[in-house]
């Protein structure tokens, strides 16, 4: 069975969110509005002892056609985005003391891969950065850019979309500004956004946007001479600074991979709960 065939989504039942105490206490379940979520932005405990969870949630789970056969056309040739369930940003508030819970849609635009400044992990956050589609109003569409959502007032949001119709966005990653103190503004840094550029023969661009002015668009672009596929998941690593020799070796490997890939009829990959297992796993350090 394919991964999508082994899961059944029951829309008639509520979704359960579980809190599991680290001290070994009994887990607590909270029924909330029926939804599915692949990706959470962050969670924290507020001053009232409630747990606040921000998540990209969709009203139902859909992993493509479960009846596909090996000779069926690929999903990207048959998918109709406007019929797919749309993930929008929701906030769930869970009260362990009373067992009460609430759920509200915060940002009604198609988003996924939400993230925050790493400094706010498990702490209160204000800003969320997420990949977003080109359509507004919660309609599913291919990812075209990045949205910055103000969780204190979601009406105060910013969106930047790639200008070319053949450019499609990957997962944004927040990069804190070098030298910024712990007391610096939460949006003192940059958002790195990969774009697959069909107008450049499928090559990729990494866009750098100021986190405090997303709507202004990229302040820098790194044009790659190779294809950078969409992945699960991206991250910014502050201490990774490969040498020129390491970059040159990695470039040689990628060019070899690109040449070999044109000789293959089918490129296959393995799906796991943590993402996709690449066929080609050599990094800049040669491992």
């Amino acid at each position: 069975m394919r991964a999508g065939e082994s899961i059944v989504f029951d829309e008639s039942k509520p979704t359960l969110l579980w809190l599991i105490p680290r001290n070994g206490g009994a887990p607590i379940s909270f029924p909330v509005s029926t939804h599915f979520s692949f990706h959470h932005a962050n969670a924290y405990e507020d001053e009232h002892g409630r747990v606040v969870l921000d998540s990209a949630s969709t009203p139902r789970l859909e992993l493509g056609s479960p009846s596909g056969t090996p000779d069926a056309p690929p999903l990207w040739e048959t998918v109709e985005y406007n019929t797919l369930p749309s993930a929008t940003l929701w906030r769930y508030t869970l009260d362990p003391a009373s067992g009460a819970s609430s759920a509200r849609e915060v940002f009604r635009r198609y988003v996924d891969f939400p993230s925050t400044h790493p400094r706010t992990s498990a702490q209160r956050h204000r800003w969320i950065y997420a990949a977003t589609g080109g359509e507004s109003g919660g309609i599913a569409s291919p990812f075209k850019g990045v949205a910055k959502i103000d969780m204190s007032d979601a009406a105060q949001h910013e969106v930047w979309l790639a200008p070319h119709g053949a450019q499609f966005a990957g997962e944004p990653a927040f990069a804190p500004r070098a030298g910024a103190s712990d007391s610096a503004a939460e949006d003192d840094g940059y958002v790195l956004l990969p774009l697959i550029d069909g107008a450049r023969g499928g090559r990729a661009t990494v866009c750098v946007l100021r986190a405090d002015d997303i709507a202004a668009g990229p302040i820098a672009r790194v044009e790659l001479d190779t294809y950078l596929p969409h992945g699960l998941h991206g991250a910014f690593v502050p201490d990774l600074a490969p040498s020129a020799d390491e970059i040159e070796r990695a470039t040689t490997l990628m060019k070899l991979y690109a040449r070999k890939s044109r000789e293959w009829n089918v490129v296959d990959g393995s799906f796991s709960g943590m993402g996709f297992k690449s066929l080609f796993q050599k990094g800049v350090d040669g491992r």
Side-chain angles (χ1 to χ4, degrees), residues 12-281:
S12 68
K13 296 181 179 180
T15 294
L16 295 180
L17 299 179
W18 289 84
L19 294 183
I20 304 175
R22 294 187 178 186
N23 63 7
I28 309 171
S29 66
F30 298 84
V32 296
S33 53
T34 303
H35 74 274
F36 178 82
S37 176
F38 265 126
H39 303 116
H40 309 302
N42 194 24
Y44 61 90
E45 188 176 32
D46 69 11
E47 63 274 14
H48 304 293
R50 301 172 302 186
V51 174
V52 178
L53 169 67
D54 291 336
S55 181
S57 302
T58 181
R60 70 180 189 275
L61 171 65
E62 187 167 321
L63 294 176
S65 173
S67 59
T69 59
D71 58 349
L75 183 62
W76 57 83
E77 290 184 0
T78 59
V79 64
E80 294 291 344
Y81 268 93
N82 59 359
T83 66
L84 293 179
S86 176
T88 57
L89 191 61
W90 284 70
R91 169 160 285 186
Y92 304 95
T93 303
L94 316 175
D95 188 347
S98 66
S101 65
S102 65
R104 65 183 178 93
E105 188 180 47
V106 177
F107 186 60
R108 187 166 177 74
R109 186 186 181 103
Y110 182 44
V111 295
D112 209 344
F113 301 112
S115 63
T116 65
H117 189 306
R119 186 183 72 200
T120 67
S121 179
Q123 305 293 325
R124 183 184 295 273
H125 59 271
R126 177 180 177 183
W127 304 108
I128 286 178
Y129 309 90
T132 189
E135 300 287 343
S136 60
I139 300 173
S141 57
F143 291 132
K144 292 286 294 178
V146 59
K148 176 187 179 183
I149 303 106
D150 187 344
M151 296 306 292
S152 65
D153 181 4
Q156 304 299 317
H157 64 269
E158 297 180 54
V159 173
W160 178 79
L161 300 176
H164 196 284
Q167 292 176 321
F168 301 98
E171 178 182 3
F174 185 90
R177 182 176 59 83
S181 67
D182 291 340
S183 60
E186 189 181 319
D187 58 356
D188 186 3
Y190 307 92
V191 172
L192 310 179
L193 183 72
L195 289 180
I196 295 176
D197 197 338
R200 297 177 59 234
R203 294 182 178 181
T205 302
V206 177
C207 296
V208 182
L209 300 91
R210 283 183 53 137
D212 61 357
D213 194 4
I214 290 293
I219 60 173
R221 291 177 172 86
V222 180
E223 306 288 347
L224 306 181
D225 63 357
T226 187
Y227 173 74
L228 182 67
H230 291 305
L232 301 172
H233 296 276
F236 171 72
V237 182
D239 298 326
L240 178 61
S243 67
D245 288 342
E246 289 173 327
I247 293 174
E248 184 176 355
R249 289 199 299 271
T251 301
T252 300
L253 287 171
M254 293 190 88
K255 289 180 177 178
L256 174 62
Y257 174 59
R259 287 198 300 269
K260 295 299 291 183
S261 67
R262 288 193 289 269
E263 300 173 8
W264 299 338
N265 292 323
V266 177
V267 178
D268 195 8
S270 301
F271 180 85
S272 73
M274 298 301 292
F276 289 95
K277 180 180 179 182
S278 174
L279 288 172
F280 192 79
Q281 299 178 346

